[in-house]
Amino acid sequence: MSKINKTKILNPPRQDWINKEIINDINKRNELWHSYKNNISDKTLEENFKVSRSKVHKKIQETKKTYYLNFFQKHMKSPRSMWQGINKLARNNIKDSAGPKKIIMDSKTITDVKEICECFNKYFSSIGEVLASKIPNVHLENQSLLVTKASPSYNLSKFEPATTDEIAKIIDELDPNTSCGIDGVSAKSIKCIKQLITSPLTSCINDCMTQGVFPDSLKVAKVTPIFKSGDKADPCNYRPISILPVISKIFEKVIYTRIAKHLQINNFLYKKQYGFRPRSNTLSATVDLVTKIRNRIDEKQLVLGIFIDLKKAFDTITTFIHPYLSEKKPKHKKLN
């Protein structure tokens, strides 16, 4: 007996705008095509096929147009969702998510996969200190002024315990399509067993907050270098994307809500800080900027703008202001 291996090719995922009516029309068009292909001399079959093909094409265009029109109207106030729709419509997808086959570091070409990972890990973990060391000393004289001491009334000595309802809500808000962390546990699986883990997970998180401890296992991230532009062999042209365990994201959300509430109550944040705040984003900053420019132009005044783009801003500023944080910063254990 001989063994026959068969390969089954799965159909691509169905587009969101395709409905049952379009599928039925496509099937009818395909049936007419097969009939016409078997009898090419039949002019009636040819005409019916062309009419059906034109009908399907027109219906697809109209349905797709209506779908995206409704989508953009629905997400008009959500820039992130808007750009996701634009990229999907323009097919701006990353076709190759794998790392580079070679990189050049210290004038040496590296092709071994493990060595490439080590080079990326070394580069990402040290670039902040390297850039901070290049800042002229003249800017370090008033470094103490950058770190303000909060008054005793502003101190946050302990966190309010989490409730099972809060943890359940955070789990419900998890995106099921996100990638798994290094532990291999997906958000979809967490959502499926929510009823079983909500209570013990709440207890564990409260114990950690009481002891002031964030488990080391939740700090280990799966890091992927994402190419930006330029030479693909240069590590400087990549940015790291860290994927933490799902449990870590739940714990972080609990901590975030309490710190954000504390800062808001004490009016700690500057009102013109647009990033990392609820109901405030780049769209708000753009509207504010355009409004100021128009007002100054109406007043017959000159308008000048200074835009600063800091290389590796978060790593550099963190190392610049708090050098000791670079020693405590957890190292990434794995890099894809």
Side-chain angles (χ1 to χ4, degrees):
M1 296 179 64
S2 60
K3 183 178 179 181
I4 301 176
N5 294 326
K6 293 184 178 181
T7 302
K8 183 178 180 181
I9 301 177
L10 299 177
N11 294 329
R14 183 183 301 175
Q15 299 290 343
D16 296 336
W17 46 265
I18 293 182
N19 52 39
K20 186 176 180 180
E21 185 178 354
I22 291 179
I23 294 176
N24 292 336
D25 290 340
I26 291 175
N27 292 333
K28 184 179 179 181
R29 179 203 62 187
N30 294 341
E31 290 177 1
L32 290 172
W33 162 246
H34 287 295
S35 300
Y36 169 64
K37 186 173 63 173
N38 295 329
N39 191 3
I40 298 180
S41 60
D42 193 332
K43 297 299 181 181
T44 303
L45 286 176
E46 180 182 4
E47 184 65 26
N48 291 339
F49 164 69
K50 290 182 177 180
V51 171
S52 178
R53 181 181 61 182
S54 177
K55 178 182 177 183
V56 170
H57 178 74
K58 183 177 180 180
K59 182 169 291 187
I60 287 177
Q61 294 298 323
E62 292 177 350
T63 305
K64 189 176 180 180
K65 178 180 178 181
T66 303
Y67 170 80
Y68 279 105
L69 178 61
N70 294 333
F71 176 86
F72 289 125
Q73 289 179 344
K74 179 180 178 181
H75 298 90
M76 190 172 295
K77 296 183 180 180
S78 176
R80 181 178 181 181
S81 299
M82 286 276 287
W83 276 111
Q84 289 177 349
I86 293 174
N87 289 329
K88 185 177 181 180
L89 186 60
R91 298 181 181 179
N92 293 332
N93 299 323
I94 300 176
K95 296 182 179 180
D96 187 7
S97 59
K101 295 182 179 179
K102 69 173 183 178
I103 62 171
I104 300 175
M105 200 165 189
D106 298 331
S107 301
K108 180 182 178 182
T109 302
I110 302 173
T111 57
D112 182 73
V113 176
K114 186 176 181 180
E115 291 185 13
I116 290 176
C117 292
E118 292 296 337
C119 289
F120 270 119
N121 193 34
K122 180 181 178 181
Y123 173 76
F124 290 144
S125 60
S126 61
I127 185 61
E129 297 179 6
V130 172
L131 294 177
S133 64
K134 296 180 180 180
I135 299 177
N137 293 332
V138 65
H139 300 299
L140 299 176
E141 296 177 356
N142 297 325
Q143 181 177 347
S144 59
L145 299 178
L146 298 175
V147 183
T148 58
K149 295 182 179 180
S151 62
S153 60
Y154 287 173
N155 289 340
L156 183 61
S157 57
K158 64 179 181 179
F159 290 127
E160 178 184 351
T163 63
T164 53
D165 291 338
E166 180 184 6
I167 301 300
K169 183 179 179 181
I170 295 175
I171 294 176
D172 289 335
E173 294 175 350
L174 291 174
D175 185 357
N177 297 320
T178 54
S179 301
C180 302
I182 197 171
D183 57 359
V185 179
S186 64
K188 186 178 294 185
S189 62
I190 294 293
K191 294 169 77 73
C192 291
I193 60 173
K194 181 186 71 171
Q195 300 296 335
L196 300 176
I197 67 171
T198 299
S199 181
L201 182 59
T202 303
S203 178
C204 290
I205 290 176
N206 286 334
D207 288 343
C208 289
M209 289 194 297
T210 301
Q211 300 174 21
V213 175
F214 194 92
D216 291 337
S217 59
L218 299 183
K219 301 176 185 178
V220 181
K222 183 170 64 175
V223 183
T224 302
I226 302 299
F227 176 70
K228 297 186 296 183
S229 62
D231 185 4
K232 290 188 176 182
D234 188 354
C236 298
N237 296 326
Y238 291 81
R239 60 185 176 91
I241 297 296
S242 301
I243 303 176
L244 290 165
V246 180
I247 301 299
S248 175
K249 297 177 181 178
I250 298 174
F251 198 170
E252 285 181 2
K253 185 65 175 179
V254 173
I255 301 296
Y256 166 79
T257 54
R258 282 147 181 77
I259 294 179
K261 181 180 179 181
H262 172 76
L263 297 178
Q264 184 177 5
I265 291 176
N266 292 283
N267 196 25
F268 194 84
L269 298 178
Y270 180 52
K271 63 179 181 179
K272 294 298 183 181
Q273 177 181 319
Y274 297 100
F276 310 102
R277 297 179 65 189
R279 296 182 296 277
S280 182
N281 47 43
T282 54
L283 181 61
S284 304
T286 304
V287 171
D288 194 10
L289 175 62
V290 172
T291 302
K292 287 184 177 180
I293 292 175
R294 287 180 174 178
N295 291 340
R296 297 301 179 270
I297 292 176
D298 292 340
E299 295 171 359
K300 307 299 181 182
Q301 296 183 8
L302 293 177
V303 180
L304 299 177
I306 300 176
F307 301 90
I308 302 176
D309 183 14
L310 299 178
K311 183 177 181 181
K312 304 291 182 182
F314 286 101
D315 294 333
T316 306
I317 293 177
T318 300
T319 309
F320 173 69
I321 299 179
H322 301 292
Y324 63 89
L325 288 180
S326 60
E327 301 176 1
K328 298 182 179 181
K329 185 168 57 177
K331 295 183 179 180
H332 299 301
K333 300 296 183 181
K334 184 177 181 181
L335 192 150
N336 283 351

Short mmCIF file of all heavy atoms in Angstrom, two decimals, residues 194-249:
data_model
loop_
_atom_site.label_atom_id
_atom_site.label_comp_id
_atom_site.label_asym_id
_atom_site.label_seq_id
_atom_site.Cartn_x
_atom_site.Cartn_y
_atom_site.Cartn_z
N LYS A 194 -12.86 33.23 32.75
CA LYS A 194 -12.99 34.39 33.64
C LYS A 194 -13.68 34.04 34.95
O LYS A 194 -13.24 34.45 36.03
CB LYS A 194 -13.76 35.50 32.92
CG LYS A 194 -13.93 36.76 33.76
CD LYS A 194 -14.81 37.78 33.07
CE LYS A 194 -16.27 37.31 33.05
NZ LYS A 194 -17.19 38.36 32.57
N GLN A 195 -14.76 33.29 34.87
CA GLN A 195 -15.53 32.96 36.07
C GLN A 195 -14.71 32.15 37.07
O GLN A 195 -14.95 32.22 38.28
CB GLN A 195 -16.79 32.18 35.67
CG GLN A 195 -17.73 32.92 34.73
CD GLN A 195 -18.30 34.18 35.35
OE1 GLN A 195 -18.40 34.30 36.57
NE2 GLN A 195 -18.67 35.15 34.52
N LEU A 196 -13.74 31.39 36.59
CA LEU A 196 -12.95 30.52 37.47
C LEU A 196 -11.77 31.24 38.12
O LEU A 196 -11.37 30.88 39.23
CB LEU A 196 -12.44 29.31 36.68
CG LEU A 196 -13.49 28.40 36.04
CD1 LEU A 196 -12.82 27.30 35.23
CD2 LEU A 196 -14.38 27.79 37.11
N ILE A 197 -11.22 32.23 37.44
CA ILE A 197 -9.98 32.84 37.93
C ILE A 197 -10.18 34.22 38.53
O ILE A 197 -9.24 34.75 39.16
CB ILE A 197 -8.94 32.93 36.81
CG1 ILE A 197 -9.40 33.93 35.74
CG2 ILE A 197 -8.67 31.57 36.19
CD1 ILE A 197 -8.34 34.25 34.72
N THR A 198 -11.34 34.82 38.38
CA THR A 198 -11.53 36.21 38.85
C THR A 198 -11.27 36.35 40.34
O THR A 198 -10.53 37.23 40.78
CB THR A 198 -12.95 36.69 38.52
OG1 THR A 198 -13.14 36.67 37.10
CG2 THR A 198 -13.16 38.11 39.03
N SER A 199 -11.85 35.48 41.13
CA SER A 199 -11.71 35.58 42.59
C SER A 199 -10.28 35.34 43.06
O SER A 199 -9.71 36.17 43.79
CB SER A 199 -12.67 34.62 43.28
OG SER A 199 -12.56 34.71 44.69
N PRO A 200 -9.63 34.21 42.68
CA PRO A 200 -8.24 34.02 43.13
C PRO A 200 -7.28 35.05 42.55
O PRO A 200 -6.31 35.44 43.22
CB PRO A 200 -7.90 32.60 42.62
CG PRO A 200 -8.89 32.30 41.55
CD PRO A 200 -10.12 33.04 41.92
N LEU A 201 -7.52 35.52 41.33
CA LEU A 201 -6.65 36.54 40.74
C LEU A 201 -6.77 37.85 41.50
O LEU A 201 -5.76 38.54 41.73
CB LEU A 201 -7.01 36.75 39.26
CG LEU A 201 -6.16 37.75 38.49
CD1 LEU A 201 -4.69 37.34 38.53
CD2 LEU A 201 -6.63 37.87 37.05
N THR A 202 -7.97 38.21 41.91
CA THR A 202 -8.18 39.42 42.71
C THR A 202 -7.43 39.33 44.03
O THR A 202 -6.78 40.30 44.46
CB THR A 202 -9.68 39.63 42.98
OG1 THR A 202 -10.39 39.69 41.74
CG2 THR A 202 -9.91 40.92 43.75
N SER A 203 -7.49 38.17 44.66
CA SER A 203 -6.80 37.96 45.93
C SER A 203 -5.28 38.07 45.75
O SER A 203 -4.60 38.70 46.57
CB SER A 203 -7.15 36.58 46.50
OG SER A 203 -6.46 36.33 47.71
N CYS A 204 -4.74 37.51 44.68
CA CYS A 204 -3.30 37.56 44.42
C CYS A 204 -2.85 39.00 44.17
O CYS A 204 -1.81 39.44 44.69
CB CYS A 204 -2.95 36.69 43.23
SG CYS A 204 -3.10 34.92 43.52
N ILE A 205 -3.61 39.73 43.39
CA ILE A 205 -3.25 41.13 43.08
C ILE A 205 -3.28 41.98 44.33
O ILE A 205 -2.39 42.81 44.57
CB ILE A 205 -4.19 41.70 42.00
CG1 ILE A 205 -3.91 41.02 40.65
CG2 ILE A 205 -4.02 43.21 41.86
CD1 ILE A 205 -4.85 41.44 39.54
N ASN A 206 -4.28 41.78 45.18
CA ASN A 206 -4.37 42.55 46.43
C ASN A 206 -3.21 42.22 47.36
O ASN A 206 -2.67 43.12 48.03
CB ASN A 206 -5.70 42.27 47.12
CG ASN A 206 -6.87 42.95 46.42
OD1 ASN A 206 -6.70 43.96 45.74
ND2 ASN A 206 -8.05 42.39 46.56
N ASP A 207 -2.82 40.95 47.40
CA ASP A 207 -1.68 40.57 48.25
C ASP A 207 -0.39 41.24 47.75
O ASP A 207 0.43 41.71 48.54
CB ASP A 207 -1.50 39.05 48.24
CG ASP A 207 -2.59 38.34 49.04
OD1 ASP A 207 -3.26 39.02 49.85
OD2 ASP A 207 -2.78 37.12 48.84
N CYS A 208 -0.22 41.28 46.44
CA CYS A 208 0.97 41.91 45.86
C CYS A 208 1.00 43.41 46.17
O CYS A 208 2.06 43.97 46.48
CB CYS A 208 1.01 41.68 44.36
SG CYS A 208 1.37 39.98 43.86
N MET A 209 -0.17 44.07 46.07
CA MET A 209 -0.21 45.50 46.35
C MET A 209 0.04 45.77 47.83
O MET A 209 0.67 46.78 48.17
CB MET A 209 -1.57 46.07 45.92
CG MET A 209 -1.75 46.14 44.42
SD MET A 209 -3.15 47.18 43.88
CE MET A 209 -4.52 46.28 44.61
N THR A 210 -0.45 44.90 48.69
CA THR A 210 -0.22 45.07 50.13
C THR A 210 1.26 44.95 50.47
O THR A 210 1.79 45.69 51.29
CB THR A 210 -1.03 44.02 50.92
OG1 THR A 210 -2.42 44.18 50.62
CG2 THR A 210 -0.82 44.20 52.41
N GLN A 211 1.94 44.00 49.81
CA GLN A 211 3.36 43.77 50.07
C GLN A 211 4.27 44.68 49.25
O GLN A 211 5.48 44.71 49.46
CB GLN A 211 3.71 42.31 49.78
CG GLN A 211 2.94 41.31 50.62
CD GLN A 211 3.20 39.87 50.20
OE1 GLN A 211 4.20 39.58 49.55
NE2 GLN A 211 2.30 38.96 50.56
N GLY A 212 3.66 45.43 48.29
CA GLY A 212 4.46 46.31 47.45
C GLY A 212 5.36 45.55 46.50
O GLY A 212 6.50 45.96 46.26
N VAL A 213 4.85 44.45 45.96
CA VAL A 213 5.67 43.58 45.10
C VAL A 213 4.96 43.36 43.77
O VAL A 213 3.74 43.13 43.72
CB VAL A 213 5.92 42.21 45.77
CG1 VAL A 213 6.66 41.29 44.81
CG2 VAL A 213 6.71 42.39 47.04
N PHE A 214 5.73 43.48 42.67
CA PHE A 214 5.23 43.10 41.35
C PHE A 214 6.03 41.88 40.92
O PHE A 214 7.25 41.97 40.75
CB PHE A 214 5.42 44.25 40.35
CG PHE A 214 4.65 44.07 39.07
CD1 PHE A 214 3.38 44.60 38.93
CD2 PHE A 214 5.19 43.36 38.01
CE1 PHE A 214 2.66 44.44 37.75
CE2 PHE A 214 4.49 43.19 36.83
CZ PHE A 214 3.22 43.73 36.70
N PRO A 215 5.40 40.72 40.75
CA PRO A 215 6.13 39.47 40.49
C PRO A 215 7.09 39.60 39.31
O PRO A 215 6.76 40.15 38.27
CB PRO A 215 5.00 38.47 40.17
CG PRO A 215 3.79 39.03 40.86
CD PRO A 215 3.93 40.52 40.79
N ASP A 216 8.30 39.06 39.50
CA ASP A 216 9.31 39.12 38.44
C ASP A 216 8.87 38.39 37.19
O ASP A 216 9.24 38.77 36.07
CB ASP A 216 10.63 38.53 38.95
CG ASP A 216 11.28 39.39 40.02
OD1 ASP A 216 10.99 40.60 40.04
OD2 ASP A 216 12.08 38.86 40.82
N SER A 217 8.09 37.32 37.35
CA SER A 217 7.66 36.55 36.18
C SER A 217 6.76 37.37 35.26
O SER A 217 6.66 37.08 34.07
CB SER A 217 6.93 35.28 36.63
OG SER A 217 5.79 35.61 37.42
N LEU A 218 6.10 38.38 35.82
CA LEU A 218 5.22 39.22 35.01
C LEU A 218 5.98 40.35 34.32
O LEU A 218 5.38 41.11 33.54
CB LEU A 218 4.09 39.80 35.87
CG LEU A 218 3.16 38.79 36.54
CD1 LEU A 218 2.05 39.51 37.29
CD2 LEU A 218 2.56 37.83 35.52
N LYS A 219 7.26 40.49 34.61
CA LYS A 219 8.07 41.54 34.00
C LYS A 219 8.80 41.05 32.74
O LYS A 219 9.38 41.85 32.02
CB LYS A 219 9.11 42.06 34.99
CG LYS A 219 8.53 42.63 36.28
CD LYS A 219 9.66 43.02 37.23
CE LYS A 219 9.11 43.49 38.58
NZ LYS A 219 10.22 43.82 39.51
N VAL A 220 8.77 39.76 32.51
CA VAL A 220 9.49 39.19 31.37
C VAL A 220 8.66 39.38 30.11
O VAL A 220 7.52 38.92 30.03
CB VAL A 220 9.78 37.69 31.59
CG1 VAL A 220 10.56 37.13 30.40
CG2 VAL A 220 10.55 37.49 32.88
N ALA A 221 9.23 40.06 29.14
CA ALA A 221 8.51 40.39 27.91
C ALA A 221 9.09 39.64 26.72
O ALA A 221 10.28 39.32 26.68
CB ALA A 221 8.55 41.89 27.65
N LYS A 222 8.22 39.37 25.77
CA LYS A 222 8.66 38.82 24.49
C LYS A 222 8.83 40.00 23.55
O LYS A 222 7.88 40.69 23.21
CB LYS A 222 7.61 37.84 23.95
CG LYS A 222 8.00 37.16 22.66
CD LYS A 222 7.05 36.02 22.31
CE LYS A 222 5.65 36.52 22.06
NZ LYS A 222 4.75 35.44 21.61
N VAL A 223 10.07 40.25 23.13
CA VAL A 223 10.40 41.46 22.39
C VAL A 223 10.61 41.14 20.91
O VAL A 223 11.32 40.19 20.57
CB VAL A 223 11.67 42.13 22.96
CG1 VAL A 223 11.96 43.43 22.23
CG2 VAL A 223 11.52 42.37 24.45
N THR A 224 9.98 41.93 20.08
CA THR A 224 10.12 41.78 18.63
C THR A 224 10.62 43.09 18.03
O THR A 224 10.02 44.13 18.26
CB THR A 224 8.77 41.40 17.99
OG1 THR A 224 8.30 40.19 18.57
CG2 THR A 224 8.92 41.21 16.49
N PRO A 225 11.72 43.08 17.27
CA PRO A 225 12.19 44.30 16.61
C PRO A 225 11.36 44.59 15.37
O PRO A 225 11.23 43.75 14.48
CB PRO A 225 13.65 43.97 16.26
CG PRO A 225 13.67 42.48 16.12
CD PRO A 225 12.63 41.94 17.06
N ILE A 226 10.80 45.78 15.29
CA ILE A 226 9.97 46.19 14.16
C ILE A 226 10.74 47.20 13.31
O ILE A 226 11.19 48.23 13.83
CB ILE A 226 8.64 46.80 14.63
CG1 ILE A 226 7.87 45.79 15.49
CG2 ILE A 226 7.79 47.22 13.43
CD1 ILE A 226 7.49 44.52 14.78
N PHE A 227 10.90 46.90 12.05
CA PHE A 227 11.66 47.77 11.15
C PHE A 227 10.89 49.06 10.89
O PHE A 227 9.69 49.05 10.65
CB PHE A 227 11.92 47.04 9.83
CG PHE A 227 12.62 47.86 8.80
CD1 PHE A 227 13.95 48.23 8.96
CD2 PHE A 227 11.95 48.29 7.67
CE1 PHE A 227 14.60 49.00 8.01
CE2 PHE A 227 12.59 49.05 6.70
CZ PHE A 227 13.92 49.41 6.88
N LYS A 228 11.61 50.20 10.94
CA LYS A 228 11.00 51.50 10.67
C LYS A 228 11.34 51.97 9.27
O LYS A 228 10.47 52.05 8.40
CB LYS A 228 11.50 52.52 11.71
CG LYS A 228 11.09 52.19 13.14
CD LYS A 228 11.48 53.30 14.10
CE LYS A 228 12.99 53.47 14.18
NZ LYS A 228 13.37 54.52 15.16
N SER A 229 12.58 52.31 9.02
CA SER A 229 13.01 52.77 7.70
C SER A 229 14.53 52.74 7.64
O SER A 229 15.21 52.62 8.67
CB SER A 229 12.50 54.18 7.42
OG SER A 229 13.02 55.10 8.37
N GLY A 230 15.06 52.88 6.42
CA GLY A 230 16.51 52.91 6.26
C GLY A 230 17.09 51.54 5.98
O GLY A 230 16.43 50.65 5.42
N ASP A 231 18.33 51.36 6.42
CA ASP A 231 19.05 50.12 6.19
C ASP A 231 18.56 49.04 7.14
O ASP A 231 18.60 49.20 8.37
CB ASP A 231 20.56 50.36 6.38
CG ASP A 231 21.40 49.13 6.04
OD1 ASP A 231 20.81 48.12 5.56
OD2 ASP A 231 22.62 49.17 6.24
N LYS A 232 18.11 47.91 6.60
CA LYS A 232 17.58 46.83 7.43
C LYS A 232 18.67 46.12 8.24
O LYS A 232 18.35 45.40 9.19
CB LYS A 232 16.85 45.81 6.56
CG LYS A 232 15.54 46.31 5.99
CD LYS A 232 14.77 45.19 5.31
CE LYS A 232 13.41 45.69 4.83
NZ LYS A 232 12.61 44.61 4.19
N ALA A 233 19.91 46.32 7.88
CA ALA A 233 21.00 45.69 8.61
C ALA A 233 21.47 46.52 9.80
O ALA A 233 22.31 46.07 10.58
CB ALA A 233 22.18 45.43 7.67
N ASP A 234 20.92 47.73 9.97
CA ASP A 234 21.31 48.62 11.06
C ASP A 234 20.31 48.49 12.21
O ASP A 234 19.12 48.80 12.04
CB ASP A 234 21.36 50.06 10.56
CG ASP A 234 21.95 51.00 11.60
OD1 ASP A 234 22.22 50.56 12.73
OD2 ASP A 234 22.15 52.18 11.27
N PRO A 235 20.74 48.04 13.40
CA PRO A 235 19.81 47.92 14.54
C PRO A 235 19.15 49.23 14.93
O PRO A 235 18.07 49.22 15.54
CB PRO A 235 20.72 47.40 15.66
CG PRO A 235 21.89 46.80 14.98
CD PRO A 235 22.10 47.60 13.73
N CYS A 236 19.77 50.37 14.59
CA CYS A 236 19.19 51.67 14.94
C CYS A 236 17.86 51.92 14.23
O CYS A 236 17.07 52.75 14.67
CB CYS A 236 20.15 52.80 14.57
SG CYS A 236 21.73 52.73 15.44
N ASN A 237 17.62 51.19 13.15
CA ASN A 237 16.40 51.40 12.37
C ASN A 237 15.26 50.48 12.80
O ASN A 237 14.31 50.29 12.05
CB ASN A 237 16.70 51.19 10.88
CG ASN A 237 17.68 52.22 10.35
OD1 ASN A 237 17.68 53.37 10.78
ND2 ASN A 237 18.53 51.81 9.42
N TYR A 238 15.37 49.94 13.99
CA TYR A 238 14.32 49.07 14.53
C TYR A 238 13.84 49.61 15.87
O TYR A 238 14.60 50.22 16.62
CB TYR A 238 14.83 47.63 14.73
CG TYR A 238 15.11 46.89 13.44
CD1 TYR A 238 16.30 47.09 12.74
CD2 TYR A 238 14.18 45.99 12.92
CE1 TYR A 238 16.56 46.41 11.56
CE2 TYR A 238 14.44 45.30 11.74
CZ TYR A 238 15.63 45.52 11.07
OH TYR A 238 15.87 44.85 9.90
N ARG A 239 12.57 49.39 16.14
CA ARG A 239 12.03 49.74 17.46
C ARG A 239 11.49 48.48 18.11
O ARG A 239 10.90 47.62 17.45
CB ARG A 239 10.92 50.79 17.34
CG ARG A 239 9.72 50.36 16.50
CD ARG A 239 8.75 51.51 16.34
NE ARG A 239 7.64 51.18 15.46
CZ ARG A 239 6.49 50.66 15.86
NH1 ARG A 239 6.31 50.39 17.15
NH2 ARG A 239 5.52 50.40 15.01
N PRO A 240 11.69 48.34 19.42
CA PRO A 240 11.26 47.12 20.09
C PRO A 240 9.77 47.16 20.48
O PRO A 240 9.29 48.16 20.98
CB PRO A 240 12.14 47.08 21.34
CG PRO A 240 12.42 48.52 21.63
CD PRO A 240 12.45 49.23 20.30
N ILE A 241 9.09 46.07 20.21
CA ILE A 241 7.71 45.90 20.66
C ILE A 241 7.70 44.81 21.73
O ILE A 241 8.06 43.67 21.45
CB ILE A 241 6.78 45.50 19.50
CG1 ILE A 241 6.73 46.62 18.46
CG2 ILE A 241 5.37 45.21 20.02
CD1 ILE A 241 6.13 47.91 18.95
N SER A 242 7.34 45.18 22.94
CA SER A 242 7.35 44.24 24.06
C SER A 242 5.95 43.70 24.31
O SER A 242 5.01 44.47 24.48
CB SER A 242 7.89 44.91 25.32
OG SER A 242 9.20 45.40 25.11
N ILE A 243 5.84 42.38 24.34
CA ILE A 243 4.55 41.73 24.61
C ILE A 243 4.65 41.07 25.97
O ILE A 243 5.36 40.08 26.15
CB ILE A 243 4.21 40.70 23.53
CG1 ILE A 243 4.18 41.36 22.15
CG2 ILE A 243 2.87 40.03 23.83
CD1 ILE A 243 3.94 40.41 21.02
N LEU A 244 3.95 41.62 26.94
CA LEU A 244 3.96 41.10 28.31
C LEU A 244 2.87 40.06 28.49
O LEU A 244 1.91 39.99 27.71
CB LEU A 244 3.75 42.25 29.29
CG LEU A 244 4.91 43.25 29.43
CD1 LEU A 244 4.45 44.51 30.12
CD2 LEU A 244 6.07 42.61 30.19
N PRO A 245 2.95 39.23 29.54
CA PRO A 245 1.88 38.27 29.82
C PRO A 245 0.55 38.97 30.07
O PRO A 245 0.51 40.12 30.53
CB PRO A 245 2.38 37.56 31.09
CG PRO A 245 3.87 37.73 31.07
CD PRO A 245 4.11 39.08 30.43
N VAL A 246 -0.54 38.29 29.77
CA VAL A 246 -1.87 38.88 29.92
C VAL A 246 -2.14 39.24 31.38
O VAL A 246 -2.72 40.29 31.67
CB VAL A 246 -2.95 37.90 29.40
CG1 VAL A 246 -4.33 38.52 29.55
CG2 VAL A 246 -2.67 37.54 27.95
N ILE A 247 -1.71 38.39 32.31
CA ILE A 247 -1.91 38.67 33.74
C ILE A 247 -1.20 39.96 34.12
O ILE A 247 -1.69 40.75 34.94
CB ILE A 247 -1.40 37.50 34.60
CG1 ILE A 247 -2.13 36.20 34.23
CG2 ILE A 247 -1.61 37.80 36.08
CD1 ILE A 247 -3.62 36.25 34.46
N SER A 248 -0.04 40.20 33.52
CA SER A 248 0.69 41.43 33.79
C SER A 248 -0.12 42.65 33.36
O SER A 248 -0.14 43.68 34.05
CB SER A 248 2.04 41.40 33.06
OG SER A 248 2.72 42.63 33.22
N LYS A 249 -0.79 42.55 32.21
CA LYS A 249 -1.60 43.66 31.72
C LYS A 249 -2.77 43.94 32.65
O LYS A 249 -3.16 45.09 32.86
CB LYS A 249 -2.10 43.35 30.31
CG LYS A 249 -0.98 43.20 29.28
CD LYS A 249 -1.53 42.83 27.92
CE LYS A 249 -0.40 42.64 26.91
NZ LYS A 249 -0.91 42.25 25.58
#
